[in-house]
Amino acid sequence: EEGYLGPEGRVAVLGSRIEKRFESLQKRMPRAVGPVSGLGAMQAFIPFDGSAAIAGALVKACFDEGLIVLTAGSDPTKIRLMPPVNATDEDLESCFAMLEKAMRRIAEEHDLPC
């Protein structure tokens, strides 16, 4: 009734917008952003080599930037984004800017290719 569900619902639209931002980030940082997976707004990606140590460092770096992300799985460890379903395009831009800044910091600190 509120327009969140279904193929044209807010969750699907938000998921599509997140996927496009991941595609853009992968183009800028192809060795840092591995495969992306998820459903709707809940998306995850494999950072760098997928190690738990690097994923943990990235979670902390994201938090330092003001972005809360979670780890998911192991071997490889993924980083999961779970934005609220009422997130705006501006919110997503801010989120991905913080994520990219944190990833570049981790790449520099750990001498990893982007």
Side-chain angles (χ1 to χ4, degrees):
E1 292 176 7
E2 296 177 17
Y4 284 97
L5 305 178
E8 303 297 320
R10 177 70 184 147
V11 173
V13 170
L14 182 60
S16 177
R17 290 176 179 163
I18 291 169
E19 289 170 7
K20 288 180 179 152
R21 282 175 174 80
F22 267 123
E23 289 172 8
S24 177
L25 186 59
Q26 282 176 316
K27 287 178 183 172
R28 291 191 306 279
M29 304 179 76
R31 297 177 73 186
V33 181
V36 177
S37 60
L39 181 63
M42 185 174 64
Q43 300 285 327
F45 72 100
I46 299 171
F48 300 99
D49 64 359
S51 71
I54 293 299
L58 183 54
V59 167
K60 171 137 180 32
C62 285
F63 185 80
D64 292 345
E65 292 300 323
L67 178 64
I68 298 173
V69 297
L70 308 167
T71 58
S74 63
D75 199 27
T77 301
K78 296 180 179 183
I79 297 293
R80 184 175 309 252
L81 303 178
M82 294 177 54
V85 294
N86 63 347
T88 64
D89 282 335
E90 292 80 19
D91 294 331
L92 292 180
E93 285 299 318
S94 179
C95 167
F96 276 84
M98 289 184 276
L99 177 60
E100 184 170 353
K101 187 174 179 183
M103 291 182 72
R104 291 194 183 281
R105 184 176 117 197
I106 293 304
E108 185 177 316
E109 290 175 358
H110 295 270
D111 196 28
L112 297 168
C114 288

